[in-house]
């Protein structure tokens, strides 16, 4: 599985962005698809996941502001980010896996990352 994330950019606080992650390869629908982020000088952290059965889970910091969804016909997962805050600034990565969803070790494939910058 190869993943390519895009849609990042520069936005003012309170604004919105929609990230997309396109997957190539087989069996996309059988993978949990997660989003993680890493800010400068910080560890990578879990953002959200949509499981193969379409259950969704969010980090406390993104709950209520971010929405994850998937389109299996297009092999694509989305992350709609609303009410963005400066602390959301990070490189965002999509990942595919079948393990524990809230930790990076639960994922086998990673995209290259897309930068999100939120100005105050």
């Amino acid at each position: 599985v190869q993943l390519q994330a895009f849609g990042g950019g520069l936005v003012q606080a309170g604004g919105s962005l929609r990230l997309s992650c396109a997957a190539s390869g087989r069996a996309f629908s059988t993978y949990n698809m997660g989003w993680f982020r890493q800010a400068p000088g910080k560890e990578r952290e879990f953002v959200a996941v949509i499981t193969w059965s379409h259950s969704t889970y969010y980090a406390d910091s993104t709950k209520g502001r971010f929405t994850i969804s998937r389109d299996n016909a297009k092999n694509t997962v989305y992350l709609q980010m609303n009410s963005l805050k400066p602390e959301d600034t990070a490189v965002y990565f999509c990942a595919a896996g079948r393990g524990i969803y809230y930790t990076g070790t639960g994922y086998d494939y990673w995209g290259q990352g897309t930068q999100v910058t939120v100005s105050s």
Side-chain angles (χ1 to χ4, degrees):
V1 177
Q2 292 184 323
L3 304 174
Q4 184 173 5
F6 51 95
L10 174 64
V11 64
Q12 289 187 331
S16 299
L17 279 176
R18 187 196 198 200
L19 305 183
S20 300
C21 176
S24 61
R26 297 181 177 180
F28 172 81
S29 64
T30 69
Y31 286 95
N32 299 329
M33 296 300 299
W35 286 95
F36 288 74
R37 66 187 181 186
Q38 187 166 19
K42 295 188 177 181
E43 294 186 353
R44 181 178 60 193
E45 65 173 356
F46 168 75
V47 173
V49 64
I50 183 164
T51 68
W52 63 271
S53 60
H54 294 250
S55 295
T56 58
Y57 303 93
Y58 298 89
D60 288 343
S61 60
T62 63
K63 199 175 300 181
R65 300 186 299 123
F66 291 10
T67 302
I68 190 170
S69 61
R70 67 191 297 164
D71 184 339
N72 288 341
K74 295 182 178 180
N75 279 13
T76 301
V77 63
Y78 305 97
L79 185 69
Q80 177 66 43
M81 305 185 294
N82 299 329
S83 302
L84 283 161
K85 305 175 181 179
E87 50 265 43
D88 293 319
T89 295
V91 177
Y92 283 70
F93 299 89
C94 60
R98 297 183 173 125
I100 300 173
Y101 66 84
Y102 54 82
T103 177
T105 57
Y107 296 84
D108 302 305
Y109 305 98
W110 293 82
Q112 84 287 3
T114 184
Q115 176 71 47
V116 172
T117 303
V118 184
S119 63
S120 57

